[in-house]
Amino acid sequence: MADSPDPRQAEAGEARQAAAARAREYDDPHENRMPIPRYVLAMVAALVAWGAYYIVTAPIDQPPALGDQRTVADLHGTPRAAGASVDGAALFQSHCVACHQASGQGLPGVFPPLAGSEWVTGSDARAAKIVLRGVTGKLTVKGTAYNGAMPAFAAQLGDAEIAAVLSHVRSQWGNTAPAVTPETVAAARAETAAMQAPFDGDAALGAPGG
């Protein structure tokens, strides 16, 4: 009769197999303690100390030694000398061309034309008032009614600038009206100073060309 396996040997074999399996496995991940290097802490402390010293000692009433050294006066630019010419064409390009177009024809049904417009070639004082205070509501131009809005430029442009842009449009696209003077614009500004809202189109401005 053959000998039966020794249970203790079988258990020992299983234990050896389990130990070998565990040996083949990697250790469970764990987090090691890694303190910040001392030289990094020293650099941070030095930067903080330098920043504090700079803030305390830097003059606040002088331009900085580095970076943008422009003053407020530099940003405002050089004041225009009295009597210096103003480029009306450039002002038209920056303030008017989006609506009235470079051709002066405007956009049909939306923005009225300046070419041949009775409002442009008529009274210079009234043209100045329109630019200064703006217009809303129905406005008839060359027999066509427009119902839109033109912004006021009194706060954006000075008298000489409004005179220049008006003189420009009154001499372009076949228009032959006389130039507008800054004095005319100044008088129109004073006359309409109390206005709180734009002109109400034809109802407020009367007949075009008058």
Side-chain angles (χ1 to χ4, degrees), residues 60-81:
I60 62 175
D61 57 346
Q62 297 179 7
L66 300 175
D68 191 347
Q69 301 184 34
R70 292 176 297 174
T71 64
V72 174
D74 294 332
L75 296 175
H76 281 302
T78 304
R80 188 182 300 277

mmCIF file with all atom_site columns, all heavy atoms in Angstrom, residues 60-81:
data_model
loop_
_atom_site.group_PDB
_atom_site.id
_atom_site.type_symbol
_atom_site.label_atom_id
_atom_site.label_alt_id
_atom_site.label_comp_id
_atom_site.label_asym_id
_atom_site.label_entity_id
_atom_site.label_seq_id
_atom_site.pdbx_PDB_ins_code
_atom_site.Cartn_x
_atom_site.Cartn_y
_atom_site.Cartn_z
_atom_site.occupancy
_atom_site.B_iso_or_equiv
_atom_site.pdbx_formal_charge
_atom_site.auth_seq_id
_atom_site.auth_comp_id
_atom_site.auth_asym_id
_atom_site.auth_atom_id
_atom_site.pdbx_PDB_model_num
ATOM 1   N N   . ILE A 1 60 ? 7.678  107.224 -4.803  1.00 0.00 ? 60 ILE A N   1
ATOM 2   C CA  . ILE A 1 60 ? 6.389  107.070 -5.475  1.00 0.00 ? 60 ILE A CA  1
ATOM 3   C C   . ILE A 1 60 ? 6.045  108.268 -6.343  1.00 0.00 ? 60 ILE A C   1
ATOM 4   O O   . ILE A 1 60 ? 5.053  108.244 -7.062  1.00 0.00 ? 60 ILE A O   1
ATOM 5   C CB  . ILE A 1 60 ? 5.271  106.847 -4.439  1.00 0.00 ? 60 ILE A CB  1
ATOM 6   C CG1 . ILE A 1 60 ? 5.162  108.068 -3.507  1.00 0.00 ? 60 ILE A CG1 1
ATOM 7   C CG2 . ILE A 1 60 ? 5.503  105.576 -3.660  1.00 0.00 ? 60 ILE A CG2 1
ATOM 8   C CD1 . ILE A 1 60 ? 4.002  107.982 -2.548  1.00 0.00 ? 60 ILE A CD1 1
ATOM 9   N N   . ASP A 1 61 ? 6.827  109.343 -6.268  1.00 0.00 ? 61 ASP A N   1
ATOM 10  C CA  . ASP A 1 61 ? 6.521  110.547 -7.038  1.00 0.00 ? 61 ASP A CA  1
ATOM 11  C C   . ASP A 1 61 ? 7.446  110.721 -8.231  1.00 0.00 ? 61 ASP A C   1
ATOM 12  O O   . ASP A 1 61 ? 7.533  111.793 -8.809  1.00 0.00 ? 61 ASP A O   1
ATOM 13  C CB  . ASP A 1 61 ? 6.603  111.784 -6.139  1.00 0.00 ? 61 ASP A CB  1
ATOM 14  C CG  . ASP A 1 61 ? 7.971  111.927 -5.471  1.00 0.00 ? 61 ASP A CG  1
ATOM 15  O OD1 . ASP A 1 61 ? 8.744  110.944 -5.494  1.00 0.00 ? 61 ASP A OD1 1
ATOM 16  O OD2 . ASP A 1 61 ? 8.252  113.019 -4.931  1.00 0.00 ? 61 ASP A OD2 1
ATOM 17  N N   . GLN A 1 62 ? 8.166  109.665 -8.608  1.00 0.00 ? 62 GLN A N   1
ATOM 18  C CA  . GLN A 1 62 ? 9.071  109.732 -9.742  1.00 0.00 ? 62 GLN A CA  1
ATOM 19  C C   . GLN A 1 62 ? 8.814  108.544 -10.659 1.00 0.00 ? 62 GLN A C   1
ATOM 20  O O   . GLN A 1 62 ? 8.370  107.489 -10.206 1.00 0.00 ? 62 GLN A O   1
ATOM 21  C CB  . GLN A 1 62 ? 10.533 109.711 -9.272  1.00 0.00 ? 62 GLN A CB  1
ATOM 22  C CG  . GLN A 1 62 ? 10.914 110.913 -8.408  1.00 0.00 ? 62 GLN A CG  1
ATOM 23  C CD  . GLN A 1 62 ? 12.361 110.826 -7.958  1.00 0.00 ? 62 GLN A CD  1
ATOM 24  O OE1 . GLN A 1 62 ? 13.101 109.956 -8.396  1.00 0.00 ? 62 GLN A OE1 1
ATOM 25  N NE2 . GLN A 1 62 ? 12.755 111.731 -7.083  1.00 0.00 ? 62 GLN A NE2 1
ATOM 26  N N   . PRO A 1 63 ? 9.112  108.704 -11.965 1.00 0.00 ? 63 PRO A N   1
ATOM 27  C CA  . PRO A 1 63 ? 8.946  107.568 -12.879 1.00 0.00 ? 63 PRO A CA  1
ATOM 28  C C   . PRO A 1 63 ? 9.857  106.424 -12.473 1.00 0.00 ? 63 PRO A C   1
ATOM 29  O O   . PRO A 1 63 ? 10.939 106.637 -11.930 1.00 0.00 ? 63 PRO A O   1
ATOM 30  C CB  . PRO A 1 63 ? 9.362  108.151 -14.243 1.00 0.00 ? 63 PRO A CB  1
ATOM 31  C CG  . PRO A 1 63 ? 9.232  109.628 -14.088 1.00 0.00 ? 63 PRO A CG  1
ATOM 32  C CD  . PRO A 1 63 ? 9.539  109.922 -12.650 1.00 0.00 ? 63 PRO A CD  1
ATOM 33  N N   . PRO A 1 64 ? 9.461  105.189 -12.684 1.00 0.00 ? 64 PRO A N   1
ATOM 34  C CA  . PRO A 1 64 ? 10.297 104.055 -12.317 1.00 0.00 ? 64 PRO A CA  1
ATOM 35  C C   . PRO A 1 64 ? 11.553 103.992 -13.162 1.00 0.00 ? 64 PRO A C   1
ATOM 36  O O   . PRO A 1 64 ? 11.587 104.458 -14.303 1.00 0.00 ? 64 PRO A O   1
ATOM 37  C CB  . PRO A 1 64 ? 9.385  102.845 -12.590 1.00 0.00 ? 64 PRO A CB  1
ATOM 38  C CG  . PRO A 1 64 ? 8.428  103.329 -13.629 1.00 0.00 ? 64 PRO A CG  1
ATOM 39  C CD  . PRO A 1 64 ? 8.195  104.777 -13.317 1.00 0.00 ? 64 PRO A CD  1
ATOM 40  N N   . ALA A 1 65 ? 12.595 103.411 -12.596 1.00 0.00 ? 65 ALA A N   1
ATOM 41  C CA  . ALA A 1 65 ? 13.852 103.290 -13.333 1.00 0.00 ? 65 ALA A CA  1
ATOM 42  C C   . ALA A 1 65 ? 13.749 102.250 -14.434 1.00 0.00 ? 65 ALA A C   1
ATOM 43  O O   . ALA A 1 65 ? 14.478 102.298 -15.415 1.00 0.00 ? 65 ALA A O   1
ATOM 44  C CB  . ALA A 1 65 ? 14.980 102.923 -12.365 1.00 0.00 ? 65 ALA A CB  1
ATOM 45  N N   . LEU A 1 66 ? 12.832 101.293 -14.270 1.00 0.00 ? 66 LEU A N   1
ATOM 46  C CA  . LEU A 1 66 ? 12.646 100.249 -15.265 1.00 0.00 ? 66 LEU A CA  1
ATOM 47  C C   . LEU A 1 66 ? 11.209 100.282 -15.768 1.00 0.00 ? 66 LEU A C   1
ATOM 48  O O   . LEU A 1 66 ? 10.329 100.856 -15.139 1.00 0.00 ? 66 LEU A O   1
ATOM 49  C CB  . LEU A 1 66 ? 12.953 98.872  -14.661 1.00 0.00 ? 66 LEU A CB  1
ATOM 50  C CG  . LEU A 1 66 ? 14.369 98.673  -14.116 1.00 0.00 ? 66 LEU A CG  1
ATOM 51  C CD1 . LEU A 1 66 ? 14.478 97.322  -13.437 1.00 0.00 ? 66 LEU A CD1 1
ATOM 52  C CD2 . LEU A 1 66 ? 15.402 98.801  -15.229 1.00 0.00 ? 66 LEU A CD2 1
ATOM 53  N N   . GLY A 1 67 ? 10.981 99.656  -16.904 1.00 0.00 ? 67 GLY A N   1
ATOM 54  C CA  . GLY A 1 67 ? 9.624  99.558  -17.428 1.00 0.00 ? 67 GLY A CA  1
ATOM 55  C C   . GLY A 1 67 ? 9.182  100.833 -18.127 1.00 0.00 ? 67 GLY A C   1
ATOM 56  O O   . GLY A 1 67 ? 9.982  101.636 -18.602 1.00 0.00 ? 67 GLY A O   1
ATOM 57  N N   . ASP A 1 68 ? 7.868  101.034 -18.183 1.00 0.00 ? 68 ASP A N   1
ATOM 58  C CA  . ASP A 1 68 ? 7.277  102.183 -18.863 1.00 0.00 ? 68 ASP A CA  1
ATOM 59  C C   . ASP A 1 68 ? 7.550  103.450 -18.062 1.00 0.00 ? 68 ASP A C   1
ATOM 60  O O   . ASP A 1 68 ? 7.067  103.610 -16.943 1.00 0.00 ? 68 ASP A O   1
ATOM 61  C CB  . ASP A 1 68 ? 5.767  101.962 -19.009 1.00 0.00 ? 68 ASP A CB  1
ATOM 62  C CG  . ASP A 1 68 ? 5.132  102.980 -19.945 1.00 0.00 ? 68 ASP A CG  1
ATOM 63  O OD1 . ASP A 1 68 ? 5.798  103.986 -20.273 1.00 0.00 ? 68 ASP A OD1 1
ATOM 64  O OD2 . ASP A 1 68 ? 3.976  102.769 -20.343 1.00 0.00 ? 68 ASP A OD2 1
ATOM 65  N N   . GLN A 1 69 ? 8.328  104.353 -18.621 1.00 0.00 ? 69 GLN A N   1
ATOM 66  C CA  . GLN A 1 69 ? 8.712  105.567 -17.911 1.00 0.00 ? 69 GLN A CA  1
ATOM 67  C C   . GLN A 1 69 ? 7.936  106.790 -18.387 1.00 0.00 ? 69 GLN A C   1
ATOM 68  O O   . GLN A 1 69 ? 8.298  107.920 -18.062 1.00 0.00 ? 69 GLN A O   1
ATOM 69  C CB  . GLN A 1 69 ? 10.217 105.811 -18.077 1.00 0.00 ? 69 GLN A CB  1
ATOM 70  C CG  . GLN A 1 69 ? 11.075 104.669 -17.545 1.00 0.00 ? 69 GLN A CG  1
ATOM 71  C CD  . GLN A 1 69 ? 12.555 104.972 -17.631 1.00 0.00 ? 69 GLN A CD  1
ATOM 72  O OE1 . GLN A 1 69 ? 12.974 106.113 -17.478 1.00 0.00 ? 69 GLN A OE1 1
ATOM 73  N NE2 . GLN A 1 69 ? 13.356 103.956 -17.878 1.00 0.00 ? 69 GLN A NE2 1
ATOM 74  N N   . ARG A 1 70 ? 6.842  106.571 -19.146 1.00 0.00 ? 70 ARG A N   1
ATOM 75  C CA  . ARG A 1 70 ? 6.060  107.718 -19.595 1.00 0.00 ? 70 ARG A CA  1
ATOM 76  C C   . ARG A 1 70 ? 5.295  108.340 -18.435 1.00 0.00 ? 70 ARG A C   1
ATOM 77  O O   . ARG A 1 70 ? 4.815  107.649 -17.544 1.00 0.00 ? 70 ARG A O   1
ATOM 78  C CB  . ARG A 1 70 ? 5.074  107.291 -20.676 1.00 0.00 ? 70 ARG A CB  1
ATOM 79  C CG  . ARG A 1 70 ? 5.728  106.872 -21.979 1.00 0.00 ? 70 ARG A CG  1
ATOM 80  C CD  . ARG A 1 70 ? 4.700  106.365 -22.964 1.00 0.00 ? 70 ARG A CD  1
ATOM 81  N NE  . ARG A 1 70 ? 4.041  105.164 -22.455 1.00 0.00 ? 70 ARG A NE  1
ATOM 82  C CZ  . ARG A 1 70 ? 3.016  104.571 -23.062 1.00 0.00 ? 70 ARG A CZ  1
ATOM 83  N NH1 . ARG A 1 70 ? 2.539  105.067 -24.181 1.00 0.00 ? 70 ARG A NH1 1
ATOM 84  N NH2 . ARG A 1 70 ? 2.482  103.481 -22.549 1.00 0.00 ? 70 ARG A NH2 1
ATOM 85  N N   . THR A 1 71 ? 5.188  109.655 -18.462 1.00 0.00 ? 71 THR A N   1
ATOM 86  C CA  . THR A 1 71 ? 4.426  110.371 -17.451 1.00 0.00 ? 71 THR A CA  1
ATOM 87  C C   . THR A 1 71 ? 3.003  110.584 -17.947 1.00 0.00 ? 71 THR A C   1
ATOM 88  O O   . THR A 1 71 ? 2.668  110.288 -19.099 1.00 0.00 ? 71 THR A O   1
ATOM 89  C CB  . THR A 1 71 ? 5.075  111.728 -17.154 1.00 0.00 ? 71 THR A CB  1
ATOM 90  O OG1 . THR A 1 71 ? 5.019  112.537 -18.347 1.00 0.00 ? 71 THR A OG1 1
ATOM 91  C CG2 . THR A 1 71 ? 6.534  111.556 -16.740 1.00 0.00 ? 71 THR A CG2 1
ATOM 92  N N   . VAL A 1 72 ? 2.155  111.127 -17.068 1.00 0.00 ? 72 VAL A N   1
ATOM 93  C CA  . VAL A 1 72 ? 0.778  111.435 -17.461 1.00 0.00 ? 72 VAL A CA  1
ATOM 94  C C   . VAL A 1 72 ? 0.765  112.447 -18.599 1.00 0.00 ? 72 VAL A C   1
ATOM 95  O O   . VAL A 1 72 ? -0.031 112.365 -19.536 1.00 0.00 ? 72 VAL A O   1
ATOM 96  C CB  . VAL A 1 72 ? -0.010 111.965 -16.245 1.00 0.00 ? 72 VAL A CB  1
ATOM 97  C CG1 . VAL A 1 72 ? -1.397 112.427 -16.665 1.00 0.00 ? 72 VAL A CG1 1
ATOM 98  C CG2 . VAL A 1 72 ? -0.109 110.891 -15.174 1.00 0.00 ? 72 VAL A CG2 1
ATOM 99  N N   . ALA A 1 73 ? 1.679  113.411 -18.544 1.00 0.00 ? 73 ALA A N   1
ATOM 100 C CA  . ALA A 1 73 ? 1.760  114.406 -19.612 1.00 0.00 ? 73 ALA A CA  1
ATOM 101 C C   . ALA A 1 73 ? 2.120  113.758 -20.948 1.00 0.00 ? 73 ALA A C   1
ATOM 102 O O   . ALA A 1 73 ? 1.608  114.147 -22.000 1.00 0.00 ? 73 ALA A O   1
ATOM 103 C CB  . ALA A 1 73 ? 2.792  115.470 -19.250 1.00 0.00 ? 73 ALA A CB  1
ATOM 104 N N   . ASP A 1 74 ? 3.001  112.751 -20.896 1.00 0.00 ? 74 ASP A N   1
ATOM 105 C CA  . ASP A 1 74 ? 3.354  112.050 -22.133 1.00 0.00 ? 74 ASP A CA  1
ATOM 106 C C   . ASP A 1 74 ? 2.141  111.347 -22.728 1.00 0.00 ? 74 ASP A C   1
ATOM 107 O O   . ASP A 1 74 ? 1.948  111.331 -23.951 1.00 0.00 ? 74 ASP A O   1
ATOM 108 C CB  . ASP A 1 74 ? 4.453  111.020 -21.864 1.00 0.00 ? 74 ASP A CB  1
ATOM 109 C CG  . ASP A 1 74 ? 5.765  111.667 -21.453 1.00 0.00 ? 74 ASP A CG  1
ATOM 110 O OD1 . ASP A 1 74 ? 6.006  112.815 -21.871 1.00 0.00 ? 74 ASP A OD1 1
ATOM 111 O OD2 . ASP A 1 74 ? 6.530  111.035 -20.701 1.00 0.00 ? 74 ASP A OD2 1
ATOM 112 N N   . LEU A 1 75 ? 1.322  110.743 -21.879 1.00 0.00 ? 75 LEU A N   1
ATOM 113 C CA  . LEU A 1 75 ? 0.152  110.017 -22.366 1.00 0.00 ? 75 LEU A CA  1
ATOM 114 C C   . LEU A 1 75 ? -0.889 110.955 -22.954 1.00 0.00 ? 75 LEU A C   1
ATOM 115 O O   . LEU A 1 75 ? -1.602 110.595 -23.887 1.00 0.00 ? 75 LEU A O   1
ATOM 116 C CB  . LEU A 1 75 ? -0.462 109.196 -21.229 1.00 0.00 ? 75 LEU A CB  1
ATOM 117 C CG  . LEU A 1 75 ? 0.432  108.082 -20.668 1.00 0.00 ? 75 LEU A CG  1
ATOM 118 C CD1 . LEU A 1 75 ? -0.239 107.420 -19.477 1.00 0.00 ? 75 LEU A CD1 1
ATOM 119 C CD2 . LEU A 1 75 ? 0.741  107.051 -21.736 1.00 0.00 ? 75 LEU A CD2 1
ATOM 120 N N   . HIS A 1 76 ? -0.990 112.157 -22.410 1.00 0.00 ? 76 HIS A N   1
ATOM 121 C CA  . HIS A 1 76 ? -1.942 113.127 -22.956 1.00 0.00 ? 76 HIS A CA  1
ATOM 122 C C   . HIS A 1 76 ? -1.475 113.684 -24.296 1.00 0.00 ? 76 HIS A C   1
ATOM 123 O O   . HIS A 1 76 ? -2.283 114.168 -25.084 1.00 0.00 ? 76 HIS A O   1
ATOM 124 C CB  . HIS A 1 76 ? -2.151 114.280 -21.973 1.00 0.00 ? 76 HIS A CB  1
ATOM 125 C CG  . HIS A 1 76 ? -3.082 113.944 -20.854 1.00 0.00 ? 76 HIS A CG  1
ATOM 126 N ND1 . HIS A 1 76 ? -4.378 113.532 -21.063 1.00 0.00 ? 76 HIS A ND1 1
ATOM 127 C CD2 . HIS A 1 76 ? -2.904 113.930 -19.512 1.00 0.00 ? 76 HIS A CD2 1
ATOM 128 C CE1 . HIS A 1 76 ? -4.971 113.297 -19.898 1.00 0.00 ? 76 HIS A CE1 1
ATOM 129 N NE2 . HIS A 1 76 ? -4.095 113.514 -18.943 1.00 0.00 ? 76 HIS A NE2 1
ATOM 130 N N   . GLY A 1 77 ? -0.186 113.612 -24.551 1.00 0.00 ? 77 GLY A N   1
ATOM 131 C CA  . GLY A 1 77 ? 0.329  114.120 -25.813 1.00 0.00 ? 77 GLY A CA  1
ATOM 132 C C   . GLY A 1 77 ? 0.582  115.617 -25.762 1.00 0.00 ? 77 GLY A C   1
ATOM 133 O O   . GLY A 1 77 ? 0.278  116.304 -24.779 1.00 0.00 ? 77 GLY A O   1
ATOM 134 N N   . THR A 1 78 ? 1.131  116.112 -26.843 1.00 0.00 ? 78 THR A N   1
ATOM 135 C CA  . THR A 1 78 ? 1.443  117.538 -26.925 1.00 0.00 ? 78 THR A CA  1
ATOM 136 C C   . THR A 1 78 ? 0.186  118.328 -27.251 1.00 0.00 ? 78 THR A C   1
ATOM 137 O O   . THR A 1 78 ? -0.509 118.016 -28.220 1.00 0.00 ? 78 THR A O   1
ATOM 138 C CB  . THR A 1 78 ? 2.495  117.784 -28.021 1.00 0.00 ? 78 THR A CB  1
ATOM 139 O OG1 . THR A 1 78 ? 3.646  116.983 -27.738 1.00 0.00 ? 78 THR A OG1 1
ATOM 140 C CG2 . THR A 1 78 ? 2.886  119.254 -28.072 1.00 0.00 ? 78 THR A CG2 1
ATOM 141 N N   . PRO A 1 79 ? -0.146 119.326 -26.441 1.00 0.00 ? 79 PRO A N   1
ATOM 142 C CA  . PRO A 1 79 ? -1.341 120.123 -26.732 1.00 0.00 ? 79 PRO A CA  1
ATOM 143 C C   . PRO A 1 79 ? -1.235 120.779 -28.105 1.00 0.00 ? 79 PRO A C   1
ATOM 144 O O   . PRO A 1 79 ? -0.162 121.188 -28.538 1.00 0.00 ? 79 PRO A O   1
ATOM 145 C CB  . PRO A 1 79 ? -1.348 121.172 -25.610 1.00 0.00 ? 79 PRO A CB  1
ATOM 146 C CG  . PRO A 1 79 ? -0.495 120.586 -24.527 1.00 0.00 ? 79 PRO A CG  1
ATOM 147 C CD  . PRO A 1 79 ? 0.546  119.767 -25.224 1.00 0.00 ? 79 PRO A CD  1
ATOM 148 N N   . ARG A 1 80 ? -2.380 120.849 -28.779 1.00 0.00 ? 80 ARG A N   1
ATOM 149 C CA  . ARG A 1 80 ? -2.397 121.481 -30.090 1.00 0.00 ? 80 ARG A CA  1
ATOM 150 C C   . ARG A 1 80 ? -2.205 122.984 -29.944 1.00 0.00 ? 80 ARG A C   1
ATOM 151 O O   . ARG A 1 80 ? -2.868 123.632 -29.139 1.00 0.00 ? 80 ARG A O   1
ATOM 152 C CB  . ARG A 1 80 ? -3.730 121.194 -30.789 1.00 0.00 ? 80 ARG A CB  1
ATOM 153 C CG  . ARG A 1 80 ? -3.764 121.663 -32.234 1.00 0.00 ? 80 ARG A CG  1
ATOM 154 C CD  . ARG A 1 80 ? -5.129 121.380 -32.840 1.00 0.00 ? 80 ARG A CD  1
ATOM 155 N NE  . ARG A 1 80 ? -5.420 119.967 -32.811 1.00 0.00 ? 80 ARG A NE  1
ATOM 156 C CZ  . ARG A 1 80 ? -4.991 119.111 -33.729 1.00 0.00 ? 80 ARG A CZ  1
ATOM 157 N NH1 . ARG A 1 80 ? -4.238 119.539 -34.722 1.00 0.00 ? 80 ARG A NH1 1
ATOM 158 N NH2 . ARG A 1 80 ? -5.301 117.841 -33.642 1.00 0.00 ? 80 ARG A NH2 1
ATOM 159 N N   . ALA A 1 81 ? -1.292 123.514 -30.699 1.00 0.00 ? 81 ALA A N   1
ATOM 160 C CA  . ALA A 1 81 ? -1.030 124.947 -30.637 1.00 0.00 ? 81 ALA A CA  1
ATOM 161 C C   . ALA A 1 81 ? -2.217 125.719 -31.187 1.00 0.00 ? 81 ALA A C   1
ATOM 162 O O   . ALA A 1 81 ? -2.940 125.251 -32.073 1.00 0.00 ? 81 ALA A O   1
ATOM 163 C CB  . ALA A 1 81 ? 0.229  125.281 -31.438 1.00 0.00 ? 81 ALA A CB  1
#
